[in-house]
Amino acid sequence: MPSSLRFLTAARRCEIDDLQHLAQTAVLVRVCARLIHELQRERGVSNLYLGSGGARFVGARSVQLAETDRVLAELRTAFESLDARPEGVPQGSRLFSRLAYAFQGLDALPTLRARIDALAWDTERATNAYIRLVSAWLAVVFEAADRASDPEVSRLLVALFNLMQGKEFAGQERACGAALFSAGRADGMRRQRLLHLIESQERCLQVFADFAGPASAAQLRQNLAPDMAAELERMRRLVAGSADGDTLDTALSLPWFEHCTVRMDAMKQIEDQLAEELLALCERRTAAARAELQDHLDISGQLDTGTGSTAFFDAPEAPPANQHGMGPRLEGSILELVQAQARRLQTMADELDTARASLNERKLIERAKGLLMAHRQLSEDEAHKTLRTMAMNQNRRLVDVAEALLSMAAVLPPRT
Amino acid sequence: MPSSLRFLTAARRCEIDDLQHLAQTAVLVRVCARLIHELQRERGVSNLYLGSGGARFVGARSVQLAETDRVLAELRTAFESLDARPEGVPQGSRLFSRLAYAFQGLDALPTLRARIDALAWDTERATNAYIRLVSAWLAVVFEAADRASDPEVSRLLVALFNLMQGKEFAGQERACGAALFSAGRADGMRRQRLLHLIESQERCLQVFADFAGPASAAQLRQNLAPDMAAELERMRRLVAGSADGDTLDTALSLPWFEHCTVRMDAMKQIEDQLAEELLALCERRTAAARAELQDHLDISGQLDTGTGSTAFFDAPEAPPANQHGMGPRLEGSILELVQAQARRLQTMADELDTARASLNERKLIERAKGLLMAHRQLSEDEAHKTLRTMAMNQNRRLVDVAEALLSMAAVLPPRT
């Protein structure tokens, strides 16, 4: 077999390998999504428990803790197989590093629960602890989305990540609003934070809609727009329209919480569907790639190797991709096959870039935080708060502030 | 061992695996560079042979063909090991696809030589054939540079690729100028092409200088600036200052060729050094990563697992990277280790982005070509010529024209 044909086959085999890795990733992402959902529920019921001074929601919380633990056990089992053979995960250092951090969070979960049991932490501190835990696991899903090498799978992972991130913003909105209504008093900082959470949420859901395809997007809109949603919007407006020190109806605290929960559960439905769709897509793509490899092997023996001809020098370097892929009846030379594959991979790379571009926003924010940390000797939390405050004060999106900051990097003096 | 520690170790192991792949790539890049150099020499001497109507340079050409064949045999041996286990190359489909195309070119080389033997092809056609062959192998090196996951290695690969690409522009300049002087008559198209080649060359050498480090950059400047260079500049000026139809001194044809060859050989020296440096760097980085893994394993057993503490929730999410890396005497908790690694990987990713950004220029041009091919039903060659003509007419860089074209993509009507 000439080298060119062997490498053509190798390229196909690599694609299949990559798709198999993606299928494995999809299984892990599904269980991450489930864990995050349980942690969000645990955060919610723990806040209710703390808010009641430990008097109520004891049973509901204990049911929820057991449910989280059940999913946690599943997650540990799922990750054990990955754990066993790191060499099977190409360029996996970032993914594993995220996982190491995320598992650190899980190790600390019993302590967090004990603090809540003992009413030693207030709602805000407990909320922040759960936010950090969830954020560590969302970072794992982000990394998985950023690594995907197949454009279709990448699009779906980007959609799923944004839905999950949007749902987490909804969860933070629930906690923030519940704190406002419980306190019975409007508070400028919290109000601004709530509005920011709503805006961030909507941006995530927009990216989700862009990448998930019209059916899922329509279904989410339908899920989010029943009568309950109108009531939530009314309560959101109460907060948005309040001025510092205004009285808020404490009786709205629980309805607010419940309406937000309904909203999150509606998102969860689509999330589950998307996670299943992701798995099915990986399997479909792998099966298709295998079939194509077989076709390729079947026909490649019968092809004109092109040796002795000057086709290489005369042919267009890479003709536009054959829209119908490489069917079993394809005729012609190896050169045509090679060119068709090159064009197909180029198209895939372009599509992949498009899907990944939407992840860059988050990366810019991370980088701007890094810059603040290095130049101002801030912790990550402080850096994030600084960015958020800048964004709120300037009424700009976080990513715009991050970008402006990065573009000024060259002129920022290092602080000693 | 807790999961977080296991994944921390897995992240390190992945880095080592990636570095080993890079070391393998570095060996292949070195032999690609040698092959390209021989093909450039073969192009040069074949042009002289064709230019003399087959009367001269017969012996020199036959010596060169034997030399090319010797390197070719080495290259085939080097690639056979890669060929045997495609699954060892993560996300390698694009690399393999490039290789399949590049080997197609080598398969067609005997036919090209036969056409030249028989004086059946003129200088221009033969030159274009060699240009295409070299470009196919440069694309392999480009892909290798684009895949590198270590920022230091990536910088060196970017430097090497740009030096190789710059040398190829110098080779094309040699052929273009030789054709001009041989013809004895100035020609607007060829003159513009020559000026464009000089400009492209200088841009490549600038990127090389940016990424290769001051020592290599200084050495290249020194290599390129002996007395010979002044003479080359004088001849360049002769062409640049000529108007359509002006007479050019045909006696300058051979001196031009020789001066250009000296220039290319000077670049080749640095190219060889850089290729060796690349290999040494990969080995050094692998050894360092192994040592760090050992340190990591040695100390990780003695660490406070942090379970039972709330450090995860209280600590800054990821403190600035420890500039001194992870020494054997590092004390503290797994959490600190995890955070240090996350910050280190973040810094590496940022540096990697910087190195890769310089490759985007080429990608933009490829994408613009793809757009032209799809919308105007052009072949790749035609698309490239269209872009080049637009750039020359507008006196803009190829990449700027490509970018402008891509930004207009949305409004370009598809041509049916």
Side-chain angles (χ1 to χ4, degrees):
Chain A
M1 206 198 292
S3 287
S4 56
L5 201 49
R6 285 209 304 268
F7 281 118
L8 199 61
T9 311
R12 289 251 168 220
R13 291 225 162 91
C14 280
E15 279 188 73
I16 295 175
D17 283 345
D18 292 343
L19 285 166
Q20 280 171 334
H21 282 304
L22 276 180
Q24 192 189 25
T25 304
V27 173
L28 298 177
V29 163
R30 182 174 58 174
V31 71
C32 287
R34 292 185 52 206
L35 176 71
I36 289 173
H37 187 69
E38 298 306 332
L39 289 172
Q40 287 166 336
R41 291 175 65 95
E42 187 173 321
R43 173 175 60 197
V45 74
S46 298
N47 279 344
L48 293 176
Y49 168 83
L50 287 172
S52 74
R56 293 167 60 203
F57 304 100
V58 179
R61 179 165 173 261
S62 118
V63 169
Q64 179 54 49
L65 298 198
E67 188 55 27
T68 310
D69 285 340
R70 207 177 54 74
V71 173
L72 240 170
E74 278 179 40
L75 176 125
R76 287 195 187 272
T77 309
F79 273 96
E80 248 153 43
S81 64
L82 180 65
D83 198 359
R85 40 180 216 88
E87 67 290 347
V89 180
Q91 305 196 352
S93 51
R94 285 170 62 88
L95 179 65
F96 283 134
S97 172
R98 300 280 193 199
L99 278 170
Y101 182 66
F103 272 103
Q104 274 282 302
L106 291 185
D107 289 345
L109 181 58
T111 318
L112 168 60
R113 289 173 171 178
R115 295 288 190 282
I116 294 169
D117 282 341
L119 305 173
W121 281 6
D122 62 11
T123 320
E124 184 162 353
R125 192 163 181 198
T127 302
N128 286 338
Y130 278 107
I131 286 177
R132 183 173 278 200
L133 197 47
V134 167
S135 136
W137 282 96
L138 275 173
V140 171
V141 177
F142 178 85
E143 208 57 50
D146 198 32
R147 286 163 43 81
S149 57
D150 181 272
E152 267 191 87
V153 177
S154 173
R155 288 179 69 86
L156 210 49
L157 270 167
V158 166
L160 181 55
F161 170 76
N162 276 282
L163 181 57
M164 290 172 72
Q165 178 71 67
K167 176 151 90 64
E168 170 57 9
F169 285 134
Q172 294 179 22
E173 183 197 0
R174 177 176 69 182
C176 182
L180 270 167
F181 283 114
S182 304
R185 185 167 296 279
D187 157 348
M189 276 305 288
R190 273 195 181 135
R191 192 188 59 230
Q192 266 204 302
R193 170 140 176 74
L194 192 83
L195 295 178
H196 244 263
L197 284 168
I198 294 172
E199 191 210 323
S200 308
Q201 212 177 127
E202 276 164 8
R203 211 163 55 247
C204 282
L205 296 183
Q206 186 53 53
V207 179
F208 155 81
D210 291 345
F211 285 95
S216 301
Q219 204 177 343
L220 181 66
R221 267 197 307 277
Q222 200 185 325
N223 272 14
L224 292 184
D227 302 342
M228 296 287 278
E231 182 58 19
L232 180 62
E233 285 299 341
R234 197 184 65 81
M235 288 188 279
R236 277 176 167 182
R237 222 175 42 241
L238 277 181
V239 177
S242 67
D244 241 30
D246 278 4
T247 306
L248 291 172
D249 185 359
T250 54
L252 284 179
S253 166
L254 210 57
W256 165 267
F257 188 91
E258 278 164 2
H259 281 88
C260 287
T261 304
V262 168
R263 185 175 158 81
M264 290 172 73
D265 287 344
M267 292 184 190
K268 177 65 168 46
Q269 270 188 18
I270 313 292
E271 196 179 285
D272 286 344
Q273 282 175 27
L274 228 53
E276 296 304 326
E277 207 178 300
L278 181 67
L279 269 175
L281 175 64
C282 286
E283 278 164 27
R284 223 160 50 230
R285 297 279 300 115
T286 312
R290 276 185 209 282
E292 280 171 10
L293 173 63
Q294 196 48 57
D295 285 349
H296 165 83
L297 291 174
D298 289 347
I299 55 169
S300 57
Q302 313 153 19
L303 289 173
D304 173 15
T305 62
T307 308
S309 93
T310 58
F312 177 83
F313 304 114
D314 300 326
E317 264 183 55
N322 179 352
Q323 293 299 325
H324 310 291
M326 193 175 65
R329 266 179 237 87
L330 185 133
E331 288 170 18
S333 66
I334 297 181
L335 183 61
E336 282 165 32
L337 221 56
V338 169
Q339 289 174 327
Q341 168 141 306
R343 182 52 53 193
R344 190 173 59 83
L345 289 175
Q346 182 62 48
T347 307
M348 278 173 67
D350 291 350
E351 288 171 9
L352 202 55
D353 280 354
T354 310
R356 277 194 191 149
S358 72
L359 301 174
N360 284 344
E361 188 165 310
R362 191 182 155 104
K363 285 186 192 169
L364 283 175
I365 294 170
E366 289 300 308
R367 208 173 291 173
K369 276 201 278 184
L371 191 76
L372 281 176
M373 290 159 71
H375 281 264
R376 301 274 172 87
Q377 313 290 326
L378 298 182
S379 75
E380 176 130 2
D381 270 2
E382 291 164 340
H384 190 80
K385 271 185 201 138
T386 305
L387 272 185
R388 216 172 55 202
T389 308
M390 285 169 75
M392 290 198 289
N393 291 345
Q394 302 173 23
N395 196 21
R396 294 166 76 189
R397 300 191 318 156
L398 207 54
V399 63
D400 296 330
V401 173
E403 216 163 3
L405 202 71
L406 288 168
S407 69
M408 293 190 310
V411 296
L412 274 182
R415 183 138 136 200
T416 46
Chain B
M1 205 197 293
S3 287
S4 55
L5 202 48
R6 284 208 304 267
F7 281 117
L8 199 61
T9 312
R12 288 251 168 220
R13 290 224 163 91
C14 281
E15 278 187 72
I16 295 176
D17 283 343
D18 292 343
L19 285 166
Q20 280 171 335
H21 282 303
L22 276 180
Q24 192 190 24
T25 303
V27 173
L28 299 177
V29 163
R30 183 175 56 174
V31 72
C32 288
R34 292 184 52 206
L35 175 72
I36 289 173
H37 187 68
E38 298 307 333
L39 289 173
Q40 287 165 334
R41 291 174 65 94
E42 187 172 321
R43 174 175 59 197
V45 74
S46 298
N47 280 345
L48 293 177
Y49 168 82
L50 287 173
S52 74
R56 293 168 61 203
F57 304 99
V58 178
R61 179 164 172 260
S62 120
V63 168
Q64 179 54 49
L65 297 198
E67 189 54 27
T68 310
D69 286 340
R70 207 177 54 74
V71 174
L72 239 170
E74 278 179 39
L75 176 126
R76 288 197 188 271
T77 309
F79 273 95
E80 247 152 44
S81 63
L82 180 65
D83 196 359
R85 40 181 214 88
E87 68 289 347
V89 181
Q91 305 196 353
S93 51
R94 285 170 63 88
L95 179 65
F96 283 133
S97 172
R98 300 279 192 199
L99 278 170
Y101 183 65
F103 272 104
Q104 274 283 302
L106 292 185
D107 290 344
L109 181 58
T111 317
L112 168 60
R113 289 172 171 180
R115 295 288 189 284
I116 294 169
D117 281 341
L119 305 172
W121 281 8
D122 63 10
T123 320
E124 184 162 352
R125 192 163 182 199
T127 302
N128 286 338
Y130 278 107
I131 287 177
R132 183 172 280 199
L133 197 48
V134 167
S135 136
W137 282 96
L138 274 172
V140 171
V141 177
F142 178 85
E143 207 57 50
D146 199 33
R147 286 163 42 81
S149 57
D150 180 272
E152 267 190 87
V153 176
S154 172
R155 289 178 69 85
L156 210 49
L157 270 167
V158 167
L160 181 56
F161 170 76
N162 276 282
L163 180 57
M164 290 172 72
Q165 177 72 66
K167 176 151 90 67
E168 170 57 8
F169 285 134
Q172 294 179 23
E173 183 198 358
R174 178 176 68 182
C176 181
L180 270 167
F181 283 113
S182 304
R185 186 166 295 281
D187 157 347
M189 276 306 286
R190 274 197 180 133
R191 191 188 60 231
Q192 266 204 302
R193 170 139 176 74
L194 192 83
L195 295 178
H196 244 264
L197 284 168
I198 294 171
E199 191 209 325
S200 308
Q201 211 178 126
E202 275 163 10
R203 211 165 55 246
C204 282
L205 295 183
Q206 186 53 52
V207 179
F208 155 81
D210 291 346
F211 285 95
S216 302
Q219 205 178 342
L220 181 67
R221 266 196 308 276
Q222 200 185 326
N223 273 13
L224 292 185
D227 302 340
M228 298 286 277
E231 182 57 20
L232 181 62
E233 284 301 339
R234 196 185 66 81
M235 288 188 280
R236 278 178 168 181
R237 223 175 40 241
L238 276 181
V239 177
S242 66
D244 241 30
D246 278 3
T247 306
L248 291 172
D249 184 358
T250 53
L252 284 179
S253 165
L254 210 57
W256 164 268
F257 188 91
E258 278 164 3
H259 280 88
C260 285
T261 304
V262 167
R263 186 176 157 81
M264 289 173 73
D265 286 346
M267 291 184 191
K268 176 65 166 46
Q269 270 187 17
I270 314 291
E271 196 180 285
D272 285 345
Q273 282 175 27
L274 227 54
E276 295 304 326
E277 208 179 301
L278 182 67
L279 269 176
L281 176 65
C282 286
E283 276 164 27
R284 223 159 51 230
R285 297 280 300 117
T286 311
R290 276 186 208 283
E292 279 171 10
L293 172 63
Q294 196 48 56
D295 285 349
H296 165 83
L297 291 174
D298 289 347
I299 55 169
S300 57
Q302 312 152 19
L303 289 173
D304 173 16
T305 62
T307 308
S309 92
T310 59
F312 177 84
F313 304 115
D314 300 326
E317 264 183 57
N322 179 352
Q323 294 298 325
H324 309 291
M326 191 176 65
R329 264 178 237 91
L330 185 135
E331 288 172 17
S333 67
I334 297 180
L335 183 60
E336 284 165 30
L337 223 55
V338 169
Q339 290 173 327
Q341 168 142 303
R343 182 51 55 191
R344 190 173 59 83
L345 289 174
Q346 182 62 48
T347 307
M348 277 173 67
D350 291 351
E351 288 171 9
L352 203 56
D353 281 352
T354 310
R356 276 195 193 148
S358 73
L359 301 174
N360 285 344
E361 189 165 308
R362 190 183 157 105
K363 286 187 194 167
L364 283 175
I365 294 170
E366 289 300 309
R367 209 174 291 172
K369 276 200 278 184
L371 191 76
L372 281 176
M373 289 159 71
H375 280 264
R376 301 273 172 88
Q377 313 290 324
L378 298 183
S379 74
E380 176 131 3
D381 271 0
E382 290 165 339
H384 190 79
K385 273 186 201 139
T386 305
L387 272 186
R388 216 173 54 201
T389 309
M390 286 169 74
M392 291 198 288
N393 291 345
Q394 302 173 24
N395 197 22
R396 293 166 75 189
R397 299 192 320 157
L398 207 55
V399 62
D400 296 331
V401 172
E403 216 164 2
L405 201 71
L406 288 169
S407 69
M408 293 189 312
V411 296
L412 274 182
R415 184 138 135 201
T416 44

